[in-house]
Amino acid sequence: MVELVLAHATALFKKIKENTKGFEEFLIEINKHLQGTNWEKVDEHTLTVEYSQCFCPLVGTKLVALEQPTRCYCSIGWLKENLKLVLGKEVQVQLEASVAQGAPQCRFTVQF
């Protein structure tokens, strides 16, 4: 089940990348498709990604408890891999806040 969710997301990123012209247009489309998230370019090399709730498929399938914040590092890897696909280069992702750590939302900063 988890593999299916992750494969679907990667396919979505690929599809949006193929059907958009540039990163700004990609961000508009990803915001439309991934409801409950907000992807915003801060400057030429920085992006913020916010989740209104925990979207971790491991939590959703009850394989791990929400209160296990170490699994948030999986979300960092997920963002790295999918944004590397879109941008064509390595990115750095930092977890700023997470629902699992008591924050009202998850927030990541991406440097590229």
Side-chain angles (χ1 to χ4, degrees):
M1 174 75 169
V2 172
E3 292 87 13
L4 181 61
V5 171
L6 296 176
H8 171 72
T10 301
L12 176 65
F13 274 69
K14 286 180 182 178
K15 180 181 176 186
I16 293 173
K17 181 184 179 202
E18 290 169 0
N19 293 308
T20 55
K21 297 175 185 151
F23 191 56
E24 287 77 12
E25 192 174 322
F26 171 85
L27 292 176
I28 292 168
E29 291 302 312
I30 202 74
N31 276 312
K32 288 179 187 175
H33 285 83
L34 296 180
Q35 297 294 307
T37 69
N38 183 45
W39 301 64
E40 185 175 331
K41 188 173 177 182
V42 176
D43 60 38
E44 288 302 309
H45 302 286
T46 309
L47 170 71
T48 59
V49 180
E50 296 178 350
Y51 301 162
S52 62
Q53 64 189 55
C54 179
F55 289 110
C56 176
L58 296 175
V59 172
T61 57
K62 300 191 187 323
L63 292 174
V64 297
L66 177 61
E67 297 77 22
Q68 294 178 340
T70 55
R71 59 139 180 82
C72 296
Y73 295 104
C74 180
S75 296
I76 291 170
W78 182 87
L79 284 167
K80 279 184 178 182
E81 289 303 310
N82 283 301
L83 288 170
K84 178 182 174 183
L85 172 81
V86 171
L87 294 167
K89 60 182 172 181
E90 297 292 330
V91 301
Q92 298 301 316
V93 179
Q94 182 173 344
L95 175 66
E96 303 293 341
S98 82
V99 173
Q101 296 172 350
Q105 64 186 11
C106 297
R107 181 180 170 90
F108 303 88
T109 300
V110 181
Q111 299 287 322
F112 53 94

